[in-house]
Amino acid sequence: MEALASIAALIAIAVLLIVIYTVARRGLPALNKELFTNVTSTIGIPGQTGGIKNAIIGTVIITLISTAISLPVGVLIAIFNSEFAPAQVAASVRIALNVLAGVPTIVIGVFIYGLIVIVYGYSAYAAAVALAVVQLPIVARSAEEVLLLVPTSLREAGMALGATKSRTVLTVILPTAVSGIVTGTIVAVARAAGETAPLLFTTSLFANAVVTDPTHAMATIPIVIFQSSESPSPQDQQVAWAAALVLLAVVLLGSIMGRLLSLRARRRIEQTR
Amino acid sequence: MSDTMHPEEPMTEPTPNPGETAQPQDVQRAEAAPDRPSTQLGALASGHEEDPAAGREAVFDLKDVSVSYSGKLAIRDVDLTVHCNLVTAFIGPSGCGKTTLLRSLNRLNDLIPGATVDGSINYHGYNLMGDDVDPVEVRRRIGMVFQRPNPFPKSIYDNVAYGLRLHGMKDDLDGRVERALTHAALWDEVKGRLKANALSLSGGQQQRLCIARALAIEPDVVLMDEPASALDPISTQAIEDLVDTLKTDYTIVIVTHNMQQAARVADITAFFSVESRDDGSRNGVLVELGATSQLFIRPSDPRTEAYVTGRFG
């Protein structure tokens, strides 16, 4: 039993290492300055030196917008659950969030396609809304966990000084929990940056140029990886590996940073107990 | 009671012999301040027995007060008056409902789902439980210090200024903060580092900071829920000394399970006990209320006597 379990644990680590190694080995040779300074080239035409500049900018903009949507809504859901909702209601909301977290992201993409894209066409906004739906349960659940760590004695301290519940939440609970909420958000940002399926339905037809107007479709790193990897042209495939390496690095860094910071944030909150 | 009364000889020893004491930390405290418990008694024994409440205005007037949590009775039928500028102690064994009763005096039980308070609690003649009473206004006038220090994870200054900003008392904020910290006997220790995080203070300092935070908004009453139970003997003594000086400006209600503490700081003591009923449920009940001296030397109820002499509790 112990041996089997140990092997299983080793497999998890091995898979991660193999993925990192493979992507690095294939991506590193193509990782040059042009990758970051050139915009994408049309897929399938040999002999071009395309980059991913516009895809990096697109991913940053879309992720920023989606986080600007999911962060306030997610934190408000967490506040509702931890501070205001009766226990049973909070439990139902929690189940709903878990189910939402389990919805295949391609279904979320189709949903946003029917809701927004059919009417307004492809746009960074539509992509951001789809990613926000993916992020929402992550932000809400992690924020709620942190809010629940804030000891009741601090809530009582605020109320005993004559603060209303809302005031206590704003001036005591949230400031105490803020570092924990930020780290949860970093994890959600990393997740959104790597999502592909919701983007297929919302922003997968884009110009080979830097686009900063969110009402238009933008290139994104995951979609560029997806499309370039299907190309018969070796240059395109090189770009796909290099872009994959960039994305992997960003996402790994984000989630490692998020988890480390989250440990620190928890320790700080536990000091108030 | 007061440090100015020094007994020539302790007469009856209110402290049970260490061997008989149920709570080891009580012994520890008695050792840390060996001359203190007897101070009270020396004064008593020399015949200074007068009703400390005589002629004082009633701050709280409780009639038939019962508190239940989700239908389960925690304490029942309490009749009790708290007088102005006195220290009133609630003592009794665990589970006697003394903290529950204290928390209904600033309506903090409102926060607990399912908590109900029956009977009447009058505060300066106003019905504290009335539907038209704003609990926020109640808590602005009736401050509270909790069992464990609970400073906000903010700077020392911001902790004290929290209530001031909340209630718009922003004129001379610095002066108010300084006065509150001075009042709580903490100013000299922290004046050079007001911007430091409150969590960097020791436990005893944190508790005095919480007292300063409560005093800053100039309450009428300060409720204290076992304010020294999480502190070492030296800090405990600092808090007790503080309670003694605060009563000139405030009315204080203090919950303690430590009899010596009640004997040292309180003018009036209310002794609560636990009663078991036929159906197996237990709830708190007020057994005896009187001048602390009276209650400790000549308790009128055998349950009080058993508790103060250390046979029970």
Side-chain angles (χ1 to χ4, degrees):
Chain A
M1 189 66 207
E2 192 186 341
L4 282 177
S6 310
I7 291 169
L10 278 177
I11 288 175
I13 297 170
V15 167
L16 178 66
L17 290 179
I18 291 169
V19 168
I20 294 174
Y21 171 74
T22 312
V23 174
R25 189 173 60 85
R26 305 273 212 127
L28 274 175
L31 203 63
N32 49 35
K33 193 167 138 268
E34 282 70 37
L35 189 77
F36 299 98
T37 53
N38 290 3
V39 296
T40 47
S41 57
T42 305
I43 303 292
I45 298 172
Q48 305 180 92
T49 49
I52 57 167
K53 180 184 177 188
N54 53 334
I56 293 173
I57 293 172
T59 287
V60 168
I61 292 176
I62 290 172
T63 310
L64 279 179
I65 299 173
S66 74
T67 308
I69 301 168
S70 64
L71 178 61
V73 178
V75 170
L76 280 171
I77 292 173
I79 289 173
F80 173 77
N81 261 6
S82 75
E83 312 296 325
F84 296 102
Q88 290 202 323
V89 177
S92 312
V93 174
R94 235 167 267 145
I95 291 172
L97 286 172
N98 285 344
V99 171
L100 185 59
V103 171
T105 51
I106 195 151
V107 175
I108 293 171
V110 173
F111 165 66
I112 297 300
Y113 182 85
L115 198 72
I116 300 176
V117 178
I118 283 184
V119 184
Y120 299 100
Y122 279 6
S123 69
Y125 280 134
V129 171
L131 289 183
V133 175
V134 176
Q135 287 179 307
L136 191 65
I138 304 172
V139 174
R141 287 309 309 274
S142 67
E144 188 191 344
E145 265 180 46
V146 178
L147 288 176
L148 290 175
L149 278 182
V150 176
T152 311
S153 65
L154 283 188
R155 292 179 175 81
E156 289 186 340
M159 310 282 284
L161 286 167
T164 58
K165 195 153 189 179
S166 307
R167 181 87 187 221
T168 307
V169 169
L170 277 180
T171 58
V172 179
I173 312 297
L174 277 182
T176 305
V178 72
S179 51
I181 293 172
V182 168
T183 56
T185 307
I186 293 175
V187 174
V189 167
R191 171 75 193 274
E195 274 301 328
T196 315
L199 304 176
L200 285 173
F201 290 92
T202 50
T203 185
S204 58
L205 281 177
F206 47 83
N208 288 329
V210 172
V211 178
T212 51
D213 177 359
T215 59
H216 291 90
M218 292 179 185
T220 55
I221 305 177
I223 296 294
V224 168
I225 296 171
F226 176 67
Q227 293 178 347
S228 307
S229 66
E230 294 198 314
S231 164
S233 146
Q235 283 97 335
D236 286 345
Q237 290 177 11
Q238 285 245 305
V239 166
W241 281 112
L245 180 59
V246 171
L247 185 61
L248 186 66
V250 169
V251 170
L252 278 184
L253 228 84
S255 57
I256 290 173
M257 204 167 75
R259 309 231 177 251
L260 286 182
L261 287 175
S262 126
L263 282 180
R264 265 189 43 188
R266 273 157 194 272
R267 245 178 266 134
R268 194 158 329 139
I269 294 173
E270 267 150 22
Q271 273 190 351
T272 64
R273 282 175 181 267
Chain B
M1 202 194 311
S2 158
D3 288 341
T4 55
M5 298 182 192
H6 284 294
E8 302 311 318
E9 49 188 14
M11 300 293 286
T12 345
E13 181 60 53
T15 320
N17 290 331
E20 294 171 13
T21 312
Q23 293 156 327
Q25 75 261 41
D26 291 349
V27 178
Q28 213 183 359
R29 289 204 184 111
E31 281 167 1
D35 64 331
R36 291 164 61 78
S38 51
T39 307
Q40 173 90 14
L41 284 195
L44 290 173
S46 47
H48 293 259
E49 272 190 62
E50 44 191 50
D51 182 6
R56 290 185 187 271
E57 190 196 339
V59 176
F60 288 108
D61 207 4
L62 282 68
K63 286 265 183 306
D64 290 327
V65 174
S66 301
V67 187
S68 311
Y69 294 119
S70 307
K72 197 177 169 302
L73 194 61
I75 184 164
R76 72 165 178 87
D77 301 331
V78 176
D79 288 324
L80 184 146
T81 303
V82 171
H83 294 275
C84 196
N85 293 100
L86 288 183
V87 177
T88 303
F90 291 178
I91 64 168
S94 310
C96 70
K98 52 194 191 298
T99 294
T100 296
L101 187 68
L102 187 80
R103 290 169 62 98
S104 43
L105 298 183
N106 67 344
R107 298 210 25 188
L108 211 58
N109 280 335
D110 291 12
L111 308 187
I112 299 170
T116 50
V117 181
D118 297 311
S120 83
I121 302 179
N122 275 319
Y123 170 69
H124 290 297
Y126 294 95
N127 176 15
L128 201 64
M129 305 307 299
D131 291 334
D132 53 335
V133 173
D134 180 5
V136 165
E137 187 56 28
V138 168
R139 294 178 199 134
R140 150 81 192 89
R141 287 162 199 266
I142 304 171
M144 186 157 192
V145 177
F146 294 84
Q147 190 165 357
R148 296 186 52 173
N150 56 354
F152 301 128
K154 302 172 186 286
S155 72
I156 294 169
Y157 185 95
D158 285 342
N159 262 277
V160 183
Y162 182 85
L164 295 168
R165 291 182 175 131
L166 188 68
H167 298 292
M169 302 160 81
K170 289 180 202 164
D171 55 301
D172 190 21
L173 200 58
D174 291 353
R176 287 175 184 273
V177 169
E178 178 177 344
R179 280 194 297 281
L181 284 168
T182 307
H183 230 131
L186 188 60
W187 174 250
D188 288 333
E189 290 162 61
V190 301
K191 62 185 170 193
R193 47 175 176 141
L194 294 176
K195 295 286 164 220
N197 194 305
L199 297 176
S200 67
L201 298 174
S202 73
Q205 289 174 323
Q206 287 187 10
Q207 192 63 303
R208 276 178 286 148
L209 179 65
C210 292
I211 294 175
R213 183 174 68 183
L215 298 181
I217 55 174
E218 296 166 16
D220 172 40
V221 182
V222 181
L223 307 177
M224 297 184 163
D225 183 9
E226 306 200 27
S229 65
L231 305 180
D232 63 88
I234 305 280
S235 303
T236 299
Q237 185 174 345
I239 301 281
E240 288 180 7
D241 291 345
L242 187 54
V243 170
D244 203 53
T245 58
L246 288 178
K247 73 176 183 189
T248 52
D249 295 314
Y250 305 92
T251 302
I252 293 173
V253 184
I254 183 169
V255 163
T256 177
H257 64 260
N258 178 334
M259 291 170 292
Q260 286 80 8
Q261 187 166 69
R264 288 190 293 262
V265 302
D267 303 294
I268 305 280
T269 297
F271 172 66
F272 296 84
S273 186
V274 184
E275 60 176 13
S276 305
R277 277 166 302 135
D278 294 339
D279 59 358
S281 64
R282 289 149 63 88
N283 63 264
V285 64
L286 174 62
V287 171
E288 190 168 352
L289 171 73
T292 302
S293 45
Q294 178 78 29
L295 197 114
F296 275 84
I297 296 193
R298 275 191 290 282
S300 57
D301 191 290
R303 285 172 291 178
T304 315
E305 191 182 2
Y307 189 72
V308 299
T309 54
R311 282 206 297 276
F312 148 74

